[in-house]
């Protein structure tokens, strides 16, 4: 059973977070926020908090925690927030009431665009550009969700608690990567490489990353086929992979 | 030196991946066996003889994994094979068990110092699970004290909470202590007075990815006393160490007497048989448990085990493997030093663990092991290694030559590491 509090963290910190990249990866998404300077605050009672901002020049960014906002959305609890992300509930706007049209219009469209990347149709995947963007966003989603599941899901915490301290790099060869820092059993994710990884899991290419992260290829087989390479202090990856195995429950 | 390539192995693995979960699952597969990088390792073996095996691409390896322990006398040992084949021809897996069962049990009781009886199964995990059950049957208690990082097989009780397929109930009777921590055992015993059936551990600590650690002076005597004072069964998992430390059992090697001992791996030079040996006081408990399997009393592996134990005793396989291991590992350390690497060797030389300790990621070690494998010296980078009695002086000399070249290559890539 997915735990609602973990799900809310995953939804904000791993799923919606992707909009910061989506606006540059996806032309349509870029158009939706063209010229808009907004900072949308999400505040979930007893749950996650973060701010998604658009800089008016096409760029997006997400920060965890509190920051200055132009629109503030409040949710009564993790379940309330999860239902909004699932498309069946609405937030309570606390600030920026005059900007409701941005929420119901462009923002809703952005979340739909995001969904089309995270749950792509076979036709969409046939387009090389969409395939690449989808895989990159899936990598980020998996990496950030991994940290949330490891920090909050009861079984995830057991396995994350066994990860020796250090940085794990999960990336695509010559492509994007997520760095996961484990410290005292707590995980935090960040995009990019640090050059200081103690262990790494590297997909040979986008195809390989898409296969494993999309659940079409098990990691063990992929390893034997050379589609993914692991190196460094393997116990970190061994326990991390047990957490990664739980992630799909939260992205379903 | 030429380096190996593995086109046939790759081809076969691609075929395997289609019809077998993980391609090759378990400890012989690329994931558990830490093939880093995967291109450096063969995937499938073709044949073996003595200290060597050949992969499907025809590459020959000096095998320092010994199939993860079973190969102790060299592959295809003529004495063991002859006994096994004779038993096979006479009748294998028959309705009435062969009297070889008694011969082998008598041999084990004669060989293993603590043993008053012997019971045979197939895998190491059969033996450790049975030891746990015997302790529970004998004491009427549920809990087990285990050492962190210890490996006792793959039965649910040996795995960890939160791992795939494992329920909390599977492991709820396990209590864990750090290796060599006597006070922790005392604490658990007083916290769970009258509830602990067994203390189970390997004779010394030989985890993966980490240096092996021998018992500190007085450790086993202290554990023996705690068990005696509290009615706890002391079970030693000698599946990996068995016959590589001491033919009379690894408890004997470390100067104490276990109540139950589990054997597998080296016991039959690769034929599938494992054993639990016990003291008289636990014989009734053992016989009270329904525990068996389709092939457990088949003649061929029993004959192989009997021949293997006899030969190991005759040549003192434990002493021979330790002396070969000592010579090899001393040479490896010297070769490492010559290239400025701190190769740390730990454990007993017949089943030593090693790692290049110059970084905390094992990356240098993984590179070095890969270079050795591609030159025909089969090491793994995560697990303890194994010696068999068929390894010759020439094998050691060639291994050291390869190790030296591999160190030079890694040094060339990492001049400052
Ligand atoms: C110490 C120890 N115990 C138990 C086992 C399990 O033996 P098996 O794999 O034959 O079930 C092993 C196997 O590696 C082992 O090393």
């Amino acid at each position: 059973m997915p735990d609602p509090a973990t799900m809310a963290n995953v939804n904000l910190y791993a799923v919606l977070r992707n909009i910061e990249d989506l606006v540059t990866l996806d032309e349509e998404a870029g158009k939706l926020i063209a010229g808009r300077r907004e900072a949308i605050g999400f505040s979930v009672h007893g749950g996650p908090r973060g701010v998604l901002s658009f800089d008016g020049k096409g760029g997006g960014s997400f920060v965890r925690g509190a920051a200055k906002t132009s629109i503030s959305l409040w949710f009564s609890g993790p379940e309330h927030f999860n239902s909004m992300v699932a498309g069946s509930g609405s937030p309570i706007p606390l600030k920026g009431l005059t900007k409701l049209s941005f929420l119901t219009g462009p923002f809703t469209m952005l979340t739909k665009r995001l969904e089309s990347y995270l749950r792509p149709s076979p036709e969409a995947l046939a387009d090389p550009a969409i395939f690449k963007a989808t895989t990159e966003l899936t990598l980020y989603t998996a990496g950030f969700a991994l940290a949330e599941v490891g920090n909050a899901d009861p079984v995830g915490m057991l396995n994350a608690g066994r990860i020796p301290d250090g940085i794990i790099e999960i990336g695509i060869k010559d492509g994007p990567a997520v760095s996961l820092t484990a410290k005292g059993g707590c995980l935090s994710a960040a995009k990019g490489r640090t050059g200081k990884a103690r262990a790494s899991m590297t997909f040979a290419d986008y195809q390989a990353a898409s296969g494993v992260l999309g659940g079409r290829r098990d990691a063990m087989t992929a390893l034997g086929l050379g589609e993914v390479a692991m190196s460094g202090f393997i116990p970190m990856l061994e326990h991390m992979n047990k957490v990664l195995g739980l992630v799909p429950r939260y992205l379903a | 030196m030429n380096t190996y390539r593995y086109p046939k192995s790759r081809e076969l693995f691609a075929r395997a991946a289609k019809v077998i979960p993980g391609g090759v699952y378990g400890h012989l597969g690329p994931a558990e066996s830490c093939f880093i990088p995967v291109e450096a390792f063969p995937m499938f073996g073709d044949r073996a003889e003595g200290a060597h095996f050949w992969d499907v691409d025809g590459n020959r390896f000096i095998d320092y994994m010994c199939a993860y322990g079973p190969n102790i006398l060299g592959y295809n040992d003529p004495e063991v094979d002859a006994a096994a084949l004779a038993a096979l021809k006479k009748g294998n897996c028959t309705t009435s068990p062969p009297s070889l069962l008694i011969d082998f049990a008598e041999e084990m009781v004669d060989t293993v110092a603590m043993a008053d009886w012997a019971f045979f199964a197939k895998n190491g995990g059969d033996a450790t699970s049975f030891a746990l059950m015997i302790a529970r049957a004998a004491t009427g208690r549920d809990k087990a004290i285990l050492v962190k990082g210890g490996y006792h097989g793959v039965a649910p009780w040996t795995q960890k909470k939160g791992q795939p397929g494992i329920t909390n109930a599977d492991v709820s009777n396990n209590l864990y202590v750090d290796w060599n921590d006597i006070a922790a055992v005392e604490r658990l015993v007083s916290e769970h007075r009258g509830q602990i059936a067994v203390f189970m551990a390997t004779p010394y600590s030989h985890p993966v990815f980490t240096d092996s650690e021998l018992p500190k002076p007085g450790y086993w005597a202290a554990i023996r006393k705690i068990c005696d004072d509290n009615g706890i069964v002391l079970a030693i998992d000698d599946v990996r160490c068995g016959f590589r430390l001491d033919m009379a059992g690894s408890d004997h090697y470390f100067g104490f007497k276990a109540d139950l001992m589990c054997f597998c791996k080296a016991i039959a030079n690769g034929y599938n048989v494992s054993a639990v040996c016990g003291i008289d006081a636990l014989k009734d408990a053992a016989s009270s448990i329904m525990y068996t399997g389709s092939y457990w009393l088949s003649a061929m592996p029993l004959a192989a085990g009997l021949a293997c134990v006899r030969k190991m005793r005759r040549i003192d396989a434990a002493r021979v493997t330790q002396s070969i291991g000592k010579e090899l590992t001393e040479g490896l350390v010297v070769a490492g030093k010559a290239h400025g690497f701190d190769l740390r060797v730990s454990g007993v030389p017949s089943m030593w663990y090693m790692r290049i300790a110059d970084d905390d990621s094992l990356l240098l070690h993984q590179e070095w092991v890969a270079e050795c494998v591609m030159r025909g010296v089969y090491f793994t980078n995560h697990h303890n290694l194994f010696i068999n009695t068929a390894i010759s002086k020439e094998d050691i000399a060639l291994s050291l030559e390869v190790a030296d070249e591999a160190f030079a290559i890694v040094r060339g890539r990492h001049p400052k590491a």
Side-chain angles (χ1 to χ4, degrees):
Chain A
M1 257 294 282
D3 157 55
T6 308
M7 176 83 93
N9 288 358
V10 169
N11 276 333
L12 184 59
Y13 299 141
V15 178
L16 287 185
R17 210 210 100 265
N18 280 311
I19 294 176
E20 73 173 359
D21 295 303
L22 181 77
V23 295
T24 45
L25 284 170
D26 177 55
E27 207 177 313
E28 295 278 313
K31 280 187 201 147
L32 287 167
I33 54 130
R36 298 296 300 237
R37 251 187 106 213
E38 300 292 352
I40 312 170
F42 297 86
S43 174
V44 181
H45 184 69
R49 250 186 116 143
V51 179
L52 180 65
S53 307
F54 305 112
D55 63 8
K57 290 175 264 172
S61 62
F62 179 85
V63 290
R64 238 181 126 115
K68 212 162 138 29
T69 63
S70 60
I71 304 172
S72 286
L73 306 177
W74 188 82
F75 300 85
S76 62
E79 278 98 344
H80 179 203
F81 179 63
N82 294 338
S83 70
M84 186 220 56
V85 175
S88 59
S90 312
I92 302 167
L94 289 183
K95 179 179 172 190
L97 290 173
T98 54
K99 292 174 175 167
L100 265 184
S101 66
F102 178 77
L103 282 180
T104 53
F107 183 71
T108 306
M109 301 280 283
L110 277 178
T111 58
K112 291 234 157 66
R113 286 304 295 167
L114 178 61
E115 178 154 4
S116 77
Y117 277 90
L118 295 182
R119 276 189 241 284
S121 65
E123 303 83 68
L125 282 181
D127 177 328
I130 297 184
F131 172 73
K132 215 171 151 187
T134 288
T135 308
E136 179 166 346
L137 291 179
T138 304
L139 173 71
Y140 294 149
T141 307
F144 280 85
L146 210 160
E148 299 311 323
V149 173
N151 290 339
D153 173 86
V155 176
M157 285 166 76
L158 281 172
N159 287 299
R162 296 178 185 129
I163 302 179
D165 285 359
I167 297 173
I168 302 174
E169 186 179 287
I170 311 170
I172 300 174
K173 192 161 178 261
D174 305 322
V178 177
S179 292
L180 203 66
T181 303
K183 191 151 194 280
C186 279
L187 306 179
S188 59
K191 287 188 286 182
R193 293 183 163 82
T194 60
K196 290 185 285 197
R198 194 177 176 202
S200 54
M201 177 165 151
T202 310
F203 296 103
D205 50 30
Y206 281 80
Q207 207 70 41
S210 168
V212 172
L213 297 173
R216 293 183 305 283
R217 169 81 86 198
D218 75 277
M220 301 294 137
T221 306
L223 204 104
L225 291 170
E227 295 172 353
V228 60
M230 305 207 190
S231 65
F233 200 55
I234 301 299
M236 302 180 78
L237 300 179
E238 199 180 307
H239 299 302
M240 179 199 80
N241 276 327
K242 304 254 165 21
V243 183
L244 191 58
L246 302 170
V247 165
R249 298 184 194 178
Y250 288 95
L251 297 174
Chain B
M1 236 177 253
N2 281 338
T3 52
Y4 291 172
R5 285 172 199 284
Y6 312 99
K8 252 209 183 115
S9 265
R10 302 292 141 222
E11 207 181 296
L12 288 173
F13 190 86
R15 246 177 82 199
K18 295 203 175 98
V19 289
I20 301 167
V24 181
Y25 46 81
H27 64 301
L28 302 185
E32 283 300 319
S33 223
C34 288
F35 291 175
I36 302 170
V38 74
E39 300 79 35
F41 292 78
M43 296 278 192
F44 291 94
D46 181 43
R47 66 192 172 91
E49 187 68 45
H52 307 131
F53 78 90
W54 285 259
D55 70 3
V56 287
D57 288 287
N59 303 307
R60 189 196 83 157
F61 298 89
I62 303 173
D63 185 3
Y64 291 111
M65 283 314 287
C66 299
Y68 280 72
N71 174 22
I72 178 109
L73 297 174
Y75 293 111
N76 304 344
D77 178 77
E79 223 170 297
V80 176
D81 284 4
L85 290 173
L88 176 70
K89 283 279 168 345
K90 269 183 82 183
N92 188 46
C93 198
T94 48
T95 304
S96 282
S99 59
L100 269 167
L101 183 63
I102 315 162
D103 303 334
F104 193 15
E106 285 170 351
E107 185 71 25
M108 288 299 285
V109 167
D110 251 18
T111 307
V112 176
M114 56 71 73
D116 294 319
W117 52 265
F119 178 107
F120 301 104
K122 289 287 105 175
N123 292 292
D126 299 334
T128 55
S129 288
F130 192 41
L132 176 69
M133 290 170 80
I134 295 170
R136 285 178 174 161
T139 60
R141 303 170 180 177
D142 295 343
K143 294 194 187 300
I145 300 182
L146 305 170
V147 174
K148 286 180 205 158
Y151 182 80
H152 303 297
V154 291
W157 69 269
T158 68
Q159 304 216 15
K160 291 195 187 90
K161 203 163 154 175
Q163 291 183 334
I166 303 306
T167 67
N168 291 352
D170 288 330
V171 291
S172 62
N173 283 311
N174 295 352
L175 304 165
Y176 298 94
V177 290
D178 284 324
W179 172 248
N180 265 338
D181 188 347
I182 299 166
V185 179
E186 280 167 344
R187 216 173 307 125
L188 283 180
V189 169
S190 75
E191 278 166 19
H192 302 272
R193 208 165 280 289
Q195 297 172 49
I196 296 167
V198 66
F199 177 96
M200 188 187 295
T202 54
Y204 72 88
S205 174
H206 47 63
V208 280
F209 301 105
T210 315
D211 295 340
S212 289
E213 244 184 281
L214 297 181
K216 64 181 188 190
Y219 177 74
W220 279 122
I223 298 297
R224 179 68 270 180
K225 181 160 181 353
I226 295 170
C227 289
D228 287 343
D229 292 349
N230 295 278
I232 297 168
V233 173
L234 178 51
I236 293 300
D237 176 351
D238 217 5
V239 166
R240 202 180 306 175
C241 295
F243 312 114
R244 278 190 169 86
L245 269 53
D246 186 329
M247 285 308 300
S250 300
D251 58 342
H252 186 258
Y253 181 82
F254 288 119
F256 70 104
K257 188 178 172 208
D259 300 321
L260 293 171
M261 295 274 284
C262 304
F263 295 99
C264 186
K265 296 201 184 276
I267 196 171
N269 208 45
Y271 289 85
N272 51 345
V273 61
S274 63
V276 175
C277 289
I279 56 166
D280 220 16
L282 293 172
K283 194 158 163 245
D284 288 355
S287 70
S288 73
I289 299 164
M290 169 56 184
Y291 205 59
T292 185
S294 295
Y295 308 110
W296 287 16
L297 305 186
S298 292
M300 186 184 189
L302 293 171
L306 177 60
C308 182
V309 171
R310 280 186 180 152
K311 180 163 177 186
M312 287 194 291
R313 276 177 83 174
R314 199 176 69 236
I315 66 172
D316 197 349
R319 193 190 47 76
V320 173
T321 51
Q322 283 171 52
S323 109
I324 296 172
K326 188 163 178 292
E327 186 179 343
L328 176 75
T329 54
E330 284 174 358
L332 292 174
V333 170
V334 169
K337 206 174 260 168
H339 295 278
F341 288 114
D342 174 15
L343 184 76
R344 299 250 174 104
V345 170
S346 55
V348 175
S350 51
M351 45 174 282
W352 83 105
Y353 173 80
M354 63 179 167
R355 70 184 165 97
I356 294 178
D358 300 87
D359 63 355
D360 76 342
S361 61
L362 297 176
L363 279 163
L364 293 169
H365 188 62
Q366 288 161 359
E367 282 190 33
W368 176 69
V369 166
E371 294 302 329
C372 290
V373 171
M374 287 192 291
R375 287 166 178 77
V377 173
Y378 200 103
F379 293 139
T380 54
N381 57 50
H382 67 301
H383 196 278
N384 73 270
L385 300 114
F386 295 92
I387 295 288
N388 64 73
T389 61
I391 292 168
S392 66
K393 294 273 179 207
E394 293 75 56
D395 290 325
I396 293 180
L398 179 57
S399 302
L400 294 178
E401 200 183 313
V402 164
D404 177 71
E405 184 171 311
F407 278 126
I409 287 165
V410 178
R411 180 50 76 204
R413 276 189 217 135
H414 306 275
K416 292 199 194 84

